[in-house]
Amino acid sequence: MRAAVYDAPGLPLRIAELPDPRPGPGQAMIRVSACGVCGSDLHATTPEGDLARRGAVLGHEVTGKIVEIGPDPVGDWAVGDRVYVIPIGSCGRCPTCQLDRPEECPDQLTFGALGPDEPDGAYAEYLAVSLSDLLAVPEGVSMEVAALCEPLATGLMCVRQAQLEIGDRVLILGAGPIGLAATIWARFFGARRVVVSERVEHRRELAVRLGATDTVDASPSTDVASQFAELTGAEPDVVIEAVGRPGMLNAAIAAVRPQGKVVTGGVCMEPDSFDHLLAYSKEPQVRTARVYTKAENQFILEMIAAGRIDPSPMISHRIGLDELPAAFEALRTPTDQCKVMVMP
């Protein structure tokens, strides 16, 4: 099969011929239909992050069609089924997997090569995955839109961790896919105002299309917290940090109201610090968002199918494998890109 291989920080991905993966017990092999380029892939391939496995295939936001099922299958799956793959990498056999809670599996081995032991991901023509991590793509939902389920689940997880209340004022730092997904869910679950700060004008426009009531240009000269107060008349009840850069956690703590909630949705790949005296004076609740549930992913697919949410504006580019190396590097300094969807 053809795949995009990661060699080392500072080097672009390269297209190579690799052996087709084989499905093991309880697994399926899928023909990849669409795979989104995730910010975690970009962070993990920087000299600062440097988490991705050398010589590996990245990519974990994936949909496809089952082309082969391995021995000892679980679930009612068949060749030809259209599926979305939750990138959890559960075993499918333990008690929590049997209860359909793969996110609690003690033997998780997520695919996507973002760690030294993770198997290869989906910047490729084929992928072997656990059958217990599959969800059916509803009829009428395109495969590329269904592949948005992963960033949508991360945004939903952030809003869930914030314990959002109806009428809350929410500040979202960053309008990449995670920030935009959090924007969708914050409005869906009753936020009165959702203000999104972002440097890239195109992404600010997207935020409004996806439910933001206001946006702020997050250029270095902008005091985002002051702009939020001017727009809404108060400090934010909730701040969702969706940038994942040093200093952003401290900015979120500085912006939130006293005893407000801060959720870290962006994954900072470097050690970071924050002002303890500032946090002491604010008494914020700071929560991290690590893993979404299978139930949340199912809910998202159902909301897309029912027309309750439309995340399709997040897809800015659809590309083939040959275009991926250049597009991957371009995303490190985005202009008009948001979610780039690879369609092998």
Side-chain angles (χ1 to χ4, degrees), residues 218-240:
S219 59
S221 60
T222 303
D223 185 334
V224 172
S226 295
Q227 287 288 306
F228 184 97
E230 185 174 323
L231 287 166
T232 69
E235 295 173 300
D237 303 292
V238 171
V239 179
I240 296 175

Side-chain angles (χ1 to χ4, degrees), residues 207-271:
V208 173
R209 290 181 64 185
L210 293 169
T213 58
D214 309 273
T215 63
V216 174
D217 182 354
S219 59
S221 60
T222 303
D223 185 334
V224 172
S226 295
Q227 287 288 306
F228 184 97
E230 185 174 323
L231 287 166
T232 69
E235 295 173 300
D237 303 292
V238 171
V239 179
I240 296 175
E241 191 283 295
V243 177
R245 299 291 184 187
M248 295 308 299
L249 173 60
N250 201 64
I253 293 171
V256 76
R257 68 165 172 80
Q259 299 180 331
K261 300 164 188 172
V262 171
V263 178
T264 58
V267 180
C268 185
M269 295 292 184
E270 305 171 54

Side-chain angles (χ1 to χ4, degrees), residues 185-205:
W185 296 120
R187 285 295 281 170
F188 187 95
F189 287 109
R192 178 184 177 191
R193 302 290 289 271
V194 179
V195 180
V196 178
S197 69
E198 168 60 48
R199 293 186 182 187
V200 179
E201 181 179 3
H202 173 69
R203 292 187 172 186
R204 293 197 301 272
E205 294 170 353

Side-chain angles (χ1 to χ4, degrees), residues 116-140:
D117 300 319
E118 288 189 1
D120 283 345
Y123 294 159
E125 293 178 309
Y126 296 97
L127 176 71
V129 291
S130 172
L131 286 161
S132 61
D133 296 330
L134 300 184
L135 292 172
V137 175
E139 185 176 351

Side-chain angles (χ1 to χ4, degrees), residues 6-7 9 41 43-45 49-56 58 112-116:
Y6 166 73
D7 290 314
D41 295 339
H43 291 326
T45 55
D50 197 17
L51 292 177
R53 178 165 55 84
R54 304 295 198 272
L58 306 174
L114 291 181

